[in-house]
Structures are given as structure tokens and as C-alpha cells.
């Protein structure tokens, strides 16, 4: 963690715990510099981050103050999950498809949706890049540039890895139809039906559905809502079950929002190497970080080629284009072959459109704006939840992405709440979708990737009232 | 078979067998009308078809003559294959990938390629449709129009089925990443690993690779190079093996070019219904027919929803766009779910681009031109083969598509020939790629989807010389 992040976190906790009261002035920049032996710019960065998150207000020529009038924010969940550690066949699909059907409806308030608002993306500029790519398409590129995909795009993706200090070349990358295909190909490349796979608890329902479709067994590993998977428990599960693979989301986890500390990611890579266990790393949200730099993936510490690192443009640039990729490490041949014999290739104009957009510049500016908006929206949703939901409700504060994870008061049944919310025109993603053992019965994943407008404010208020009525 | 087709076929056989000699006048239109009790327009149609195939020349104000100076065309293969009928695990991928690698090289003469020339397609006009779709993309369409795919495109596809008298609605269709995904999803929807699947002998190597990847067993069924799979043998194999599914290509088979007669297609549908066996119907070439109407699919006779009919725009309109579809019949839910949990969705701008192109008209004209060119090219390749290859070589005359199947003189090893051809800069697809039992050792699939230019003429001549040197 960077110094300014550590400072921001300390101050956020002081504010949330009431040590610093609404309206109270933050320590002056000069004082803080002296006390912490840090530069003024670091302090400003921390204060601006807190401002973005709605915890702090700046007053011209006066300084920074704890946001006034803001009611106390709900506590974060603090306990790691405690799954039973058994290996089990997965059978979540009926529930998940039922929930998905209800969220694929434009008229519903998309609190249960897995997608951010499509209005957050430069679809028109991307469309112009697509127009250029499609009209000037080299006909032969449709024939001889099959898997692993268009070189221009793979070069751009490799360049972004290297900007982060990760040594990936264009030839290490296989382009896919979105990250979902990347992960689906990856897990089939390293397992056979009947094998056991370690997953976080909770974990993204699509992960569970892919395991189910491939006849794989899931072992849920205790996972902390802020720091991600519990490494010690993971090591024990490896020793006990000898799983064929791990499938984790170490950065901005869906649904928890957790991010493994860098030290844990490094230790995880070592652990995997010791046991020769491959990791399917789902890393589709890391571009949506609220800190200045992107958290490194576990792949950054992978010396053995055991990590199959899966990324996508769907959540940060180009929804609907279905362009993702995987860096499969030592499993490159298997993955490329599986791709060639399942979808052959990825749509060529789409690949060229994104490559063209990335070459043209402007991606960084788009990402900066997107991150700021998502961070701002998260603060708005958390504040609204604080007002509307029962006091015992706990809410995560992810440092990136657009999901909040809510622990409702014990005994609140999220599946029932979902039914009631549906009657009020909003979709919800209840906790049991995210667990092969159908745990998390009092939990919800809430999408804060949509602007917090009047309709959304109404919806969150209504949802809070419904939850309060059930507590 | 239509009357004019029957007439054309009779005349073609007379020409090929030498009954009608080069330069000889065909029976006059009047005589033929009287002899066959058919209309003059039917006779003209037959003569024009023969002209397109290079067998006949018209002379102004004189009539139709057997093409002069043309040497005798090689005989067609006449024997159905005779596989051993055993169920076996599939293990072709290493050979296939080796061959594919050598054909994905722009500098090689693409005799072994599976793709027609990309110059045959209206990629620029399609690009303009793509430009329009991408620039005016409704952002929400990227979120809520997931599988089964864009309605506008599904409507256009359904319309084309109905033009052929097949009762398919938009909601019966699932859009996929090309036909390969359609077939891959279809076969996994109706089988479990270890199940046996009936396939033609020979059959498309990608079919075999998908079976291999999914741990399925293949049973090869005798197949005739002109009339497709042998129904009696198929019925026996169903009785003997109780296969979980059939996977066939009843129209313009790859690699044979065979098309099942309509009566056989109807009988096949009845047979499947009797035994409750699903059919994955690979129908990606049927738009490339040389007769005036498209041969109906087996799906046209499917009353039980047992046929999963797979189509694509890749071979007839939009290579590289990766847009295909499946009409999964009673397996719609399973296929749609498999799609949602493997690639989620198909690229949205590409779907809209093709829908827009189809709405705009011009597709029929493009198809007419494409069919004429392919028919003409086929005649050119066959004539060149006749000149260059050993006399005993047999060559198919498919009524659509762009593949020729060559039976070289007994003892000619196609795998060796492939190596020698590679040294001369051309790719080849040798027979053993198309068979889980590695049969067809003296056979080749030859791509005639590329214009027969000087380079191609050279290549075919060289290949014929190499084959002659091995006979």
C-alpha cells in the first residue's frame, strides 16, 4: 500500500468510527507532513481521495473537513467467510438463470446487474474506430489471422502489461470472446470432469456455472471481504484435497470487492509453485482502481507459468464487443487449441477497432474519468444505504470496481428480499447465487456502476425499507 | 431433384463417359422437349447449368455443343466408404493442428485451406453497415440483448428459413460465434463425456476435434461421395451402438461435397424420430448451391425438435465476423445456457452490421454472383486436375460449396504428398485428417474457392506431377 493510501485509510477509519466528527477539520497538511514524515503532495493525494469517496469536503482557503451533515456510514463486514471446506458438485444454475432473466430487462432498476452503465463508455469514439477497421478491412486478415488473434491488438495488450512492469509479449496472449471464454477455455485446459477446483467463498456465479457445465467439483475457501482469500486456509485445502486448479479473483473481487494485499499475491504465487497447482486468475476489474496505480495481478509473481491470467475490455472500454484475452503461461498450446476447436477465432473488426482505439491514445483519460465516476458513485450508494438500511447492515468499501457487498441483519432472507424487490421493479443479486453451498443467505451484491440519479435513490430507499421490514 | 437438374445430370454423364464427344452438338431443344415432355425453359436451364460447369459451349444462332478441345474429365468416385463400424476415442488433433499451422500462411498456395478466397465477399459494403451499426450503437443493447442475440438479426435469419418454406421464428434461434460455436454448444448440450456419436466417413476434422475435446467417441458411418451418408448403415449403427447423437453434414459435405437426396433427408428425420436420437446438422455451405434453389436441410422434416440446425455467415457473406447461429429445437434451453456460460454473448456491432446488410437488400445478388463464380472455378479446377493428375484419379463434382475430393491411385500416400507439396509452397488437406480411424490414405480435399489464376494453375500442375511421380 502506498503512503497516501495508508494515510487515507487511517483517516477513513477515524471518520467512520466517530473519532473524527462531521464538520471537524482534518489535521493541517503541515502537521500531517511533520507527523508522518511525508510530502505535502502525498497528504493532498490522501485528502483528495477521501473527498472523492465523499468522506471529506474541501473549503476554499480554509482546508479539509469531515463531510458535514453526513450520517455515520455503515460498518464494513469484518469476518472472513467460513465455508465447510467440503468438495461438492455444483448445482447453482437454475437459481442463477432465474435471477439473470429478471435482470436482463431494460425497465428494471439494475441493482442486481453484473454490468456497469453502458453510458460510461466511449462507444461513439470506439464506433468510429470500428468503422475505420471494418471499411478498410484487409480481406486476408479474416483467413490467416486466426487464433491467437490480431497481432496489433495483442501488441497493445502486451504494452499495457509492460507499463505495469509485467514481462508479457504479444505471443504470450490469446484473444478470446470476452473474459468468460478466456476463463472457460482456461479451466478446461487444466482440468478433467470430476476434478476439484478451489474457489473463493463467496465467488462469482458464472465461475460456478462454468464448473457445473464442465462437471467439476468446487471447494470453497474462506475469504475476507477486504483482503480476499485466506492463504492459510487455501494451503490447507490444497493439502487436503489436492485440487487440480484454483480459480480466484484476487483484485476487486466479484461480489466482495476484496483485493489481496501484494504480499499475499506474492505468497500465493509461491504456494502454487510449490504444489504445481495452476491458477485461473479472473482479473477483469483491475483497470477500475480508485488508487493511482493498478494493483498487480498474481501473474506478476508467476515464475512457473502456472497462472492463466484472464482480462477483458468489456468492463473498462467496450461492452458488447466481446473482446477479452488470456495469458495462459505454460498452458498456451492447450488453450489456443481449445479456442480453435470451440469458436475458431474472435471477430476481426472488433479486435482491430480496439487496437485502433488504443493506438490512437485517449484510453488513459477515459479510464481516469471512469475511475473517478465509479469512486464517486460508490460513495453515493454507501451514503444512501446508510440512510435507508437497518443499522446493523454492513457494507464493503472496495478500492475499485462497482460492486458493494451487503451483510443484512442476521435472519434477513435475501432470496425473499429479491422477490419483494422484483415486485418494486428492481433486480437484486442475492448471496446464495455466489456459493455452491448456498451460503450467504443474508447477503446481497449491489451494483453501483449506474449513476445515482433520482430513480436509483428511490430504489435504494425502497430496498432499505423492504430490508428493514424483514429484520 | 428438379427436372432440369436430372436432365443436366444425364447429359453430364453422357459427356463424361464419352457417349457425347467434344464438339458434338447436343440434342436440339425441340427434340429434348418432345422426348422428355418438358418445357423449353427447363431444357435451357439444364444447358445453361452445363455451360456454367464448363461442359457445354453455346454458339450464337447455332445451339449447344459439348465443349471442344476439352480433354476427358476424370471419373467421379463411385464407392461409398467402408469404415469398420467400431466406436472409438478420437485422437486426430496433433495431425490436424500440424496441417492447419501450415495453411495459415498467406504465402502458401491455399489448396488445403478450409476457407474460400476472402476477395469473393462484399466486405467493403458490409464494413459500411458495420460502421453505421457501431457509430449509432444503442449503449443499452450491449447490456440487455445477451443470448439468444440481437432480435433484428434473428428476424432476418428466420425470414430466410421461411422463404424456403421452413417454419422457424426469431425466438427459435440462438446467435453464436460462428457455426463452430453453434456445433460445439449443440453437441455438448446433447451428450456427456464418453458417449458415442455417429459421423460420416470421412467427416470434417473440426467435428473430430470437438468430439476429442469433449471426450466423445466417434462411430464412422459409410458415406457415398455423391449421396452422402448411407441410411441403412446409419440405422444399423443406431441399433448396434445406441449413440447419443448424430453429427452430419447432409448438404455439400466437407470434404466430400455430397448432398443427401431430399427423400433420404426426409427418411433420416423419420429414423431419428423413431429412435429419439438428436442430430447436429452442420449446414454452413447450403447457400453456395449451383442449382437455382437451396437444398432443404434435414431440419425441414424435423417434427420432433430433434435437429439442432447450425448455420453461419462466414462462408457466404462475412468471413471474420464470426456470426453463426443454431436452431436447437427442443434443446433450446440447454444450448442458450451453455452459450451464456461459455461466451455470454456474440459481438453486438457485428450482429447489427449483418442484420443491417440483410435489411438493405443486395444479399441475393451477391449470393448469385458468388455461386456462379464458385461453380465456374470448380469446372476450371476439375479440368486442370484432368490434365495434370494420373489417369486413375477420381474427382467429385459437388453441386455446391468449394471443395473437391480426390481419390488418387491406390497406394499413393496423401500424407507424403502433403510433405512434398509443402516443399513447393502449397498446403494440402490429406484424407487421414478426416477420419478417426485414419482412413482415406490416398485421398485429398482440394479447395477450389480461390480464383483459378496462373499461380493456382501452376500449383495444380505441380501437384499433379508430384502425384504422378508417386503412383
Amino acid at each position: 500500500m502506498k503512503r497516501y493510501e495508508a494515510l487515507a485509510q487511517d483517516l477513513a477509519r477515524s471518520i467512520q468510527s466517530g473519532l473524527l466528527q462531521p464538520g471537524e477539520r482534518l489535521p493541517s497538511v503541515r502537521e500531517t507532513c511533520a507527523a508522518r514524515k511525508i510530502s505535502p503532495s502525498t497528504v493532498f493525494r490522501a485528502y483528495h481521495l477521501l473527498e472523492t469517496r465523499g468522506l471529506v469536503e474541501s473549503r476554499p482557503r480554509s482546508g479539509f473537513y469531515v463531510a458535514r451533515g453526513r450520517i455515520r456510514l455503515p460498518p464494513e463486514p469484518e469476518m472472513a467467510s467460513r465455508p465447510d471446506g467440503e468438495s461438492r458438485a455444483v448445482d447453482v444454475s437454475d437459481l442463477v438463470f432465474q435471477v439473470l432473466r429478471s435482470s436482463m430487462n431494460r425497465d428494471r432498476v439494475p441493482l442486481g446487474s453484473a454490468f456497469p452503465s453502458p453510458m460510461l463508455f466511449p462507444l461513439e469514439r470506439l464506433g468510429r474506430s470500428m468503422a475505420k477497421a471494418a471499411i478498410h478491412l484487409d480481406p486476408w486478415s479474416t483467413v490467416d489471422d486466426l487464433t491467437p488473434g490480431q497481432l496489433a491488438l495483442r501488441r497493445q495488450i502486451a504494452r499495457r502489461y509492460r507499463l505495469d512492469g509485467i514481462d508479457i509479449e504479444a505471443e504470450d496472449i490469446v484473444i478470446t470472446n470476452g473474459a468468460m471464454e478466456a476463463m472457460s477455455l482456461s479451466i478446461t485446459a487444466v482440468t478433467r470432469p470430476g476434478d476439484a477446483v478451489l474457489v473463493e467463498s463467496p465467488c462469482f456465479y458464472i465461475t460456478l456455472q462454468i464448473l457445473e457445465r464442465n462437471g467439476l467439483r468446487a471447494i470453497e475457501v474462506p475469504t475476507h471481504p477486504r483482503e480476499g482469500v485466506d492463504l492459510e486456509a487455501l494451503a490447507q485445502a490444497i493439502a487436503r484435497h489436492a485440487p487440480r486448479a484454483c480459480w480466484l479473483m484476487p483484485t476487486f473481487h466479484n461480489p466482495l470487492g476484496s483485493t489481496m494485499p501484494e504480499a499475499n499475491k506474492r505468497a500465493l504465487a509461491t504456494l502454487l509453485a510449490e504444489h504445481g497447482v495452476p491458477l485461473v486468475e479472473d482479473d477483469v476489474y483491475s483497470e477500475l482502481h480508485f488508487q493511482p496505480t493498478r494493483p498487480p495481478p498474481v501473474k506478476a509473481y508467476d515464475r512457473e507459468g502456472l497462472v492463466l491470467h484472464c482480462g477483458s475490455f468489456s468492463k473498462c472500454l467496450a461492452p458488447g464487443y466481446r473482446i477479452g484475452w488470456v495469458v495462459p503461461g505454460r498452458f498456451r498450446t492447450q488453450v489456443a487449441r481449445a479456442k480453435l476447436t470451440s469458436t475458431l477465432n474472435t471477430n476481426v473488426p472488433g479486435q482491430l477497432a480496439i487496437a485502433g482505439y488504443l493506438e490512437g491514445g485517449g484510453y488513459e483519460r477515459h479510464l481516469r474519468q471512469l475511475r473517478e465516476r465509479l469512486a464517486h458513485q460508490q460513495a453515493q450508494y454507501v451514503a444512501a444505504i446508510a440512510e435507508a438500511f437497518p443499522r446493523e447492515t454492513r457494507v464493503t468499501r472496495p478500492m475499485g470496481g462497482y460492486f458493494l457487498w451487503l451483510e443484512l441483519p442476521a435472519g434477513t432472507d435475501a432470496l425473499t428480499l429479491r422477490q419483494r424487490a422484483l415486485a418494486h421493479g428492481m433486480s437484486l443479486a442475492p448471496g446464495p447465487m455466489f456459493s455452491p453451498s448456498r451460503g450467504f443467505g443474508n447477503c446481497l451484491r449491489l451494483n453501483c456502476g449506474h449513476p445515482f440519479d433520482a430513480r436509483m435513490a428511490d430504489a435504494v430507499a425502497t430496498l432499505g425499507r423492504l430490508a428493514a421490514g424483514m429484520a
Side-chain angles (χ1 to χ4, degrees), chain A:
Chain A
M1 194 179 286
K2 300 273 153 91
R3 286 177 184 184
Y4 82 93
E5 292 172 43
L7 171 57
Q9 186 175 297
D10 287 354
L11 288 168
R13 293 209 175 125
S14 297
I15 293 167
Q16 280 156 11
S17 67
L19 267 179
L20 283 167
Q21 289 288 320
E24 193 172 336
R25 193 174 186 277
L26 294 195
S28 78
V29 173
R30 179 182 308 224
E31 278 165 35
T32 311
C33 287
R36 295 221 168 201
K37 297 195 171 58
I38 52 181
S39 72
S41 92
T42 305
V43 179
F44 276 116
R45 232 175 181 175
Y47 287 10
H48 284 134
L49 177 61
L50 292 169
E51 195 181 7
T52 311
R53 299 185 64 191
L55 292 172
V56 155
E57 297 165 350
S58 68
R59 299 187 195 155
R61 278 178 297 277
S62 168
F64 290 86
Y65 293 80
V66 176
R68 185 190 285 280
R70 175 177 289 282
I71 57 167
R72 185 182 298 179
L73 293 177
E76 293 183 61
E78 291 291 346
M79 302 284 289
S81 59
R82 279 178 295 187
D84 62 11
E86 296 305 318
S87 160
R88 54 168 55 81
V90 185
D91 176 25
V92 298
S93 270
D94 283 331
L95 172 63
V96 171
F97 283 117
Q98 205 181 328
V99 173
L100 288 187
R101 249 199 319 276
S102 64
S103 51
M104 282 194 284
N105 179 331
R106 209 177 276 215
D107 298 327
R108 288 235 159 85
V109 183
L111 288 171
S113 165
F115 302 99
S117 166
M119 309 307 288
L120 298 173
F121 300 97
L123 286 173
E124 204 185 314
R125 204 175 139 216
L126 207 52
R128 287 197 299 272
S129 182
M130 179 70 117
K132 206 168 140 189
I135 290 173
H136 303 291
L137 186 66
D138 169 7
W140 291 96
S141 72
T142 66
V143 176
D144 54 9
D145 289 350
L146 302 183
T147 293
Q150 294 293 316
L151 182 59
L153 179 59
R154 289 184 287 123
R155 280 197 178 132
Q156 288 295 322
I157 295 170
R159 198 179 61 79
R160 292 194 66 78
Y161 277 105
R162 287 199 302 273
L163 283 178
D164 287 351
I166 304 173
D167 186 27
I168 301 284
E169 303 292 331
E171 47 268 40
D172 302 326
I173 297 167
V174 176
I175 305 292
T176 57
N177 292 297
M180 194 187 291
E181 185 180 42
M183 295 188 282
S184 183
L185 296 174
S186 294
I187 197 69
T188 54
V190 299
T191 60
R192 295 271 156 246
D195 284 346
V197 176
L198 297 187
V199 298
E200 287 127 339
S201 173
C203 78
F204 184 31
Y205 47 80
I206 292 280
T207 301
L208 297 174
Q209 290 183 297
I210 294 177
L211 295 181
E212 182 174 338
R213 192 164 54 80
N214 289 290
L216 295 164
R217 301 175 67 79
I219 301 159
E220 293 173 275
V221 179
T223 303
H224 189 277
R226 205 161 40 229
E227 308 212 326
V229 74
D230 179 326
L231 274 190
E232 204 173 307
L234 189 82
Q236 284 166 7
I238 289 176
R240 181 177 159 205
H241 293 283
R244 195 60 64 99
C246 296
W247 184 342
L248 304 173
M249 208 165 178
T251 303
F252 311 140
H253 181 267
N254 174 0
L256 287 178
S258 57
T259 294
M260 293 174 71
E262 284 189 38
N264 288 14
K265 287 176 173 170
R266 190 187 298 269
L268 172 58
T270 307
L271 183 66
L272 297 170
E274 276 169 20
H275 295 86
V277 177
L279 167 66
V280 177
E281 182 173 22
D282 178 353
D283 197 17
V284 301
Y285 299 110
S286 62
E287 290 285 17
L288 307 180
H289 53 82
F290 305 158
Q291 314 102 312
T293 56
R294 185 157 69 140
V298 178
K299 184 75 187 173
Y301 308 108
D302 174 32
R303 302 280 159 266
E304 306 289 329
L306 281 166
V307 177
L308 300 101
H309 184 250
C310 301
S312 166
F313 292 104
S314 298
K315 302 297 166 48
C316 53
L317 177 64
Y321 278 57
R322 307 304 304 142
I323 305 285
W325 70 89
V326 50
V327 180
R330 65 163 79 160
F331 306 102
R332 188 184 177 286
T333 302
Q334 293 94 311
V335 168
R337 286 183 169 196
K339 164 79 182 164
L340 267 172
T341 57
S342 53
T343 60
L344 188 65
N345 194 6
T346 305
N347 74 98
V348 176
Q351 293 183 65
L352 295 172
I354 292 183
Y357 176 93
L358 296 177
E359 284 158 13
Y363 187 39
E364 283 302 342
R365 198 178 54 229
H366 155 68
L367 284 175
R368 272 198 306 277
Q369 289 171 351
L370 178 62
R371 291 164 189 152
E372 272 174 32
R373 288 193 65 164
L374 291 177
H376 181 63
Q377 286 173 195
Q378 183 189 102
Q380 292 175 301
Y381 279 78
V382 170
I385 290 165
E387 280 180 41
F389 275 67
R391 258 192 98 78
E392 304 78 17
T393 304
R394 291 176 177 270
V395 186
T396 52
R397 309 283 196 288
M399 292 303 286
Y402 51 88
F403 291 124
L404 295 173
W405 180 249
L406 275 66
E407 283 181 17
L408 300 172
T412 312
D413 180 42
L415 290 170
T416 308
L417 182 57
R418 171 184 167 261
Q419 293 292 358
R420 298 189 183 170
L422 217 48
H424 285 80
M426 56 188 113
S427 67
L428 276 192
M433 288 175 79
F434 301 92
S435 160
S437 58
R438 307 280 172 107
F440 310 102
N442 65 325
C443 296
L444 287 181
R445 184 194 69 186
L446 223 67
N447 184 327
C448 52
H450 292 258
F452 190 73
D453 53 16
R455 176 182 180 236
M456 208 46 108
D458 266 2
V460 174
T462 304
L463 188 62
R465 215 167 45 239
L466 292 173
M470 291 172 63

